[in-house]
Amino acid sequence: MKIAELELRTINLPLVRPFRTSFGTQTAREVLMLKVTTGDGVVGWSECVALSEPVYSPEYVAGCLDEMKRFFIPALLSAPVLTVESVAPLLAGFLGSPMAKATLETALLDAQLRAENRSLADFLGANKSKIPCGVSVGIAPSIPQLIEEVAGYIKDGYKRIKLKIEPGWDIEPVAEVRRNWPEIPLQVDANQAYSRSDGPQLAKLDQFELLLIEQPLDEHDILGHAQLARQVRTPICLDESIVSLRAAEDALALKATTIINIKPGRVGGYLEAVRIHDLCLNEGIPVWCGGMIETGIGRAANVALAALPGFTLPGDTSASSRFFLRDITEPFVMHDGFLDVPNTVGIGRTPDMEFLNSITSYKESIGP
């Protein structure tokens, strides 16, 4: 494959409701987009799932943009032979930055599949035509407001509810949601908010028959998760800790997790995501697909991934309307709690260029 042009742009996509981070509240999602045009004129798209600030991972939008321009794109343009499979090896000498690397790999994969007249779902090995939708619910100002928000999602048809928890906001809100909806599949996400000494507190969640407790401890504390798993009955699920196939292998060997959340951007792309899926499928470990508030571009690729056989739990692949007033692509619309898996060429979505241009804050083209 020959690259004729790469176009980088950042957009600011308005959100349905404000998104809270430790740096404040955001009313729009800043997204780094990539468009690749091959020498044959085929176009591929992707997005970088890094947030504006390094609060979920060390990566952030401006940093990813700088790394791609300064290091990654020159490395790919100088390669004598470039394939989707060669992207990760070519960039392996640059440490870290899986989200930025995944952006390049995914855009090239989209272009390659479009040239082959093949869908991403087919390429990845999907065996489902639709996937169940779960929704992630943030920490609310009050329990009544939480109940009101959850009620809306259940009315919409979501198949699974995920509640964010932290010390001081855990047992009581979970108890109230479970009291109102005794049968709804329910899980919690701690986003690394607890410490090893919090095992007794987290064990109090066992009474609510949760699907899982997601990432309770620091992402580097694999041993702590293994110790915690022996203190609680609820399954421990790792998210931020799973940055590669090797990390997944180690976590399973140490019995630090019995469920894994696969986020393609976090592990360096869809090729590595499939390797982790295959490992877990062979080991009998359930997996599900997490979300990073993706636009329709990233959401389309995630839906295709979530259609693989090992994804047996509803993920965070919600409808476009969950986050955005208007998506940059044809929106994903939920029907009876499910999203249809795109079956057209590539990732199955392309941007509305008029709308995309209207929310673009930066654009730059780079060629050989």
Side-chain angles (χ1 to χ4, degrees):
M1 184 187 310
K2 290 290 185 182
I3 295 177
E5 181 183 61
L6 298 103
E7 179 188 278
L8 292 159
R9 69 166 75 205
T10 56
I11 63 172
N12 290 284
L13 186 59
L15 295 166
V16 169
R17 57 174 56 82
F19 176 67
R20 192 190 78 175
T21 74
S22 55
F23 282 82
T25 300
Q26 300 176 352
T27 58
R29 172 80 161 97
E30 183 186 29
V31 187
L32 172 59
M33 307 292 303
L34 175 64
K35 173 186 174 185
V36 170
T37 304
T38 70
D40 296 325
V42 180
V43 171
W45 284 92
S46 68
E47 69 179 88
C48 182
V49 297
L51 302 178
S52 299
E53 303 95 7
V55 292
Y56 170 79
S57 83
E59 293 184 86
Y60 59 101
V61 169
C64 290
L65 178 61
D66 181 68
E67 286 183 309
M68 290 169 70
K69 290 171 56 179
R70 191 187 300 262
F71 303 111
F72 302 161
I73 288 175
L76 296 184
L77 291 177
S78 64
V81 178
L82 181 62
T83 64
V84 171
E85 291 75 15
S86 69
V87 171
L90 285 168
L91 301 181
F94 303 108
L95 301 182
S97 306
M99 294 178 180
K101 293 175 180 178
T103 307
L104 289 157
E105 181 186 275
T106 304
L108 290 169
L109 179 57
D110 185 34
Q112 175 181 299
L113 293 174
R114 290 180 187 277
E116 296 173 355
N117 197 34
R118 188 180 183 188
S119 72
L120 178 61
D122 176 64
F123 173 83
L124 295 178
N127 69 343
K128 307 180 188 79
S129 60
K130 60 182 181 178
I131 63 163
C133 298
V135 66
S136 179
V137 185
I139 294 173
S142 68
I143 288 180
Q145 288 171 282
L146 172 68
I147 297 303
E148 181 181 2
E149 185 176 355
V150 171
Y153 295 133
I154 290 177
K155 182 179 179 181
D156 289 341
Y158 281 98
K159 300 295 186 181
R160 182 227 70 193
I161 300 295
K162 180 171 83 173
L163 303 177
K164 298 286 186 177
I165 62 170
E166 64 184 16
W169 181 269
D170 44 29
I171 308 304
E172 189 177 358
V174 173
E176 192 62 18
V177 170
R178 178 54 86 208
R179 187 184 69 79
N180 279 271
W181 296 281
E183 304 300 326
I184 190 75
L186 182 64
Q187 65 192 58
V188 296
D189 182 7
N191 285 121
Q192 312 180 61
Y194 293 84
S195 65
R196 290 188 183 185
S197 63
D198 288 319
Q201 176 70 8
L202 291 170
K204 295 177 183 178
L205 293 168
D206 289 343
Q207 62 186 300
F208 304 118
E209 299 298 328
L210 304 177
L211 294 173
L212 56 91
I213 302 172
E214 184 181 354
Q215 198 68 43
L217 309 181
D218 184 89
E219 63 186 282
H220 302 292
D221 194 4
I222 302 300
L223 177 59
H225 281 101
Q227 294 171 341
L228 178 64
R230 294 194 290 269
Q231 300 178 60
V232 302
R233 179 166 51 83
T234 306
I236 299 297
C237 169
L238 291 184
D239 174 6
E240 290 93 330
S241 296
I242 306 301
V243 295
S244 64
L245 174 63
R246 174 59 57 83
E249 291 171 336
D250 291 349
L252 293 177
L254 290 170
K255 301 186 185 304
T257 185
T258 52
I259 299 174
I260 287 179
N261 173 0
I262 300 178
K263 289 180 179 172
R266 193 193 60 234
V267 303
Y270 289 87
L271 301 186
E272 186 77 348
V274 170
R275 295 184 193 105
I276 296 171
H277 162 272
D278 292 347
L279 166 72
C280 293
L281 186 63
N282 290 335
E283 296 289 334
I285 299 296
V287 299
W288 56 282
C289 185
M292 292 288 291
I293 318 183
E294 290 91 350
T295 75
I297 294 293
R299 196 170 303 271
N302 281 355
V303 170
L305 179 70
L308 269 65
F311 286 85
T312 56
L313 295 174
D316 290 338
T317 42
S318 52
S320 296
S321 59
R322 160 68 178 92
F323 293 110
F324 305 121
L325 297 171
R326 175 181 177 181
D327 208 337
I328 65 170
T329 68
E330 176 190 349
F332 278 89
V333 179
M334 189 169 62
H335 300 286
D336 298 322
F338 290 84
L339 292 182
D340 291 332
V341 177
N343 57 10
T344 53
V345 296
I347 62 174
R349 288 290 194 276
T350 54
D352 176 335
M353 292 308 301
E354 182 178 356
F355 179 54
L356 192 70
N357 288 331
S358 73
I359 57 174
T360 294
S361 56
Y362 159 91
K363 184 171 76 171
E364 179 178 357
S365 295
I366 301 172

